[in-house]
Amino acid sequence: MSGDAVRVLIIEDDERISEIHRRLTEKVPGFEVVGMAHNLAHGQEMCEVLEPDLLLLDLYFPDGYGIDLLQALRGRMQEVDLILITAAREVGPLKEALRGGVFDYILKPVIFSRFQESLEKYLQYRSRLAEEKELQQQEVDHLMGSPRRSKTISDELPKGIDPLTLKKVLGVFINAPEEGLGAEEVGSILGVSRTTARRYLEYMVSGGLLVADLVYRKIGRPERKYFPRRRQV
C-alpha cells in the first residue's frame, strides 16, 4: 500500500462486523486499515499511538458511548476525521455527531455502494484541501457537500437582461459626461435600440447602479438622463 493511502482505524465491538468493515475498506483504492479495536478504551489508545487519518466508529459499546470518544478527540485537537457507522436510528445521536463534526453517518447494515461513495468523497475532500491554498465560495460549497450551486450573475438577472450587455452599459458610465446620458445616446454608443438601452438603464437604476433625473431644456420636453451613482440628484 502506498504511503499516501488514507490510514483507517476501525473501532467496533462486534469482531465479525469489524472484519466486514475492514474488507470493505480495503476494496476501495487509496485506503488501508492500520488497526481494529473492539472497545472504546482500546480504541482511544490506538488513536493516540497510530494517529490514523480516519476513524470508522460505532456508536454503542459495552464500555461507553462513541460520541464520548469523538468529543475527547476534539478536545485534545487530534487531527482525525470520523465516519460513524451505527444501527442507531434516533435523531439525537445524529445531531450530536453533526455537532462533533463527523464526515459522514452510515446506518447498519452497511451497503457497499453507500460505503464506497462515502470513502471516495472523503478522498476527494482530502485531495482538494491539500491542493487549495485559497478557497472560493463555490469550492467551499463543494467541500461541504452543499446541494446548492453557487449563484452566478446570470442566475440573478431577470429575463431580458443579458450580463454581457449589462456590463457594456455600465462601462459607458465610467467616463460619463457631467450632464449625464440619455437612453438614445447610450443606444447609439452600444449599437442597440433606444428601447433596449432604456430597459438596461432602468434596471440599473432599480439596482442602485445608476441614478436618473429629468433634465429640463429651453426648448422641448424634459429628457430623462442617467448618471453614475456617485452623483447626487
Side-chain angles (χ1 to χ4, degrees), residues 44 66-78:
Q44 185 161 347
I67 296 296
D68 293 337
L69 174 59
L70 168 61
Q71 292 172 345
L73 294 171
R74 294 291 179 251
R76 68 168 184 260
M77 305 297 288
Q78 182 167 346

Side-chain angles (χ1 to χ4, degrees), residues 2 43 68 75 202 214 232:
S2 167
D68 293 337
E202 290 298 326
L214 288 175
Q232 301 297 320

